[in-house]
């Protein structure tokens, strides 16, 4: 029985070491990915700034004003017409 518990303890210790090794590898991958992302971002930012500096700024077009139709009558004319049709409010 003692031999079986020693075996289990050794397996548990091995598994613990294995998990620690996996964690180190995962952190290493995570950090290298983060460094690569920062380098890529810096490169793209430099390219964007260079492109923007080379091209003249584009002025946005003025928004078109909507033409308003003139009313053909006054409010009193409208209400009188509604009353003639039997629509009292």
């Amino acid at each position: 029985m003692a031999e079986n518990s020693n075996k289990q303890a050794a397996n548990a210790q091995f598994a613990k070491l294995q998990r620690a090794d996996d964690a180190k590898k995962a952190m290493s991958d995570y950090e290298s990915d983060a460094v690569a992302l920062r380098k890529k971002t810096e490169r793209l930012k430099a390219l964007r700034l260079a492109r923007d500096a080379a091209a003249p700024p584009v002025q946005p077009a003025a928004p078109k004003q909507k033409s308003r139709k003139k009313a053909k009558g006054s409010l009193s004319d409208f209400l009188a017409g509604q009353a003639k049709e039997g629509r009292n409010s």
Side-chain angles (χ1 to χ4, degrees):
M1 195 86 182
E3 185 177 312
N4 193 15
S5 91
N6 286 341
K7 199 180 237 186
Q8 286 178 347
N11 283 337
Q13 186 177 9
F14 177 74
K16 186 177 181 180
L17 291 173
Q18 195 76 13
R19 284 192 304 271
D21 189 40
D22 289 345
K24 286 180 186 178
K25 287 180 185 177
M27 277 305 292
S28 174
D29 290 344
Y30 175 78
E31 290 171 354
S32 66
D33 288 347
V35 168
L37 181 65
R38 283 191 295 273
K39 284 183 181 179
K40 179 181 171 184
T41 302
E42 289 174 15
R43 181 181 62 86
L44 291 173
K45 183 178 180 180
L47 287 172
R48 178 176 45 85
L49 292 175
R51 180 198 65 203
D52 291 348
V58 177
Q59 297 294 330
K64 294 182 180 178
Q65 293 182 354
K66 294 182 180 178
S67 63
R68 300 181 99 189
K69 294 183 181 179
K70 292 186 179 182
K72 294 184 180 180
S74 64
L75 178 61
S76 60
D77 293 338
F78 173 76
L79 292 174
Q82 293 294 316
K84 286 180 185 176
E85 294 176 3
R87 296 182 182 155
N88 293 331
S89 53

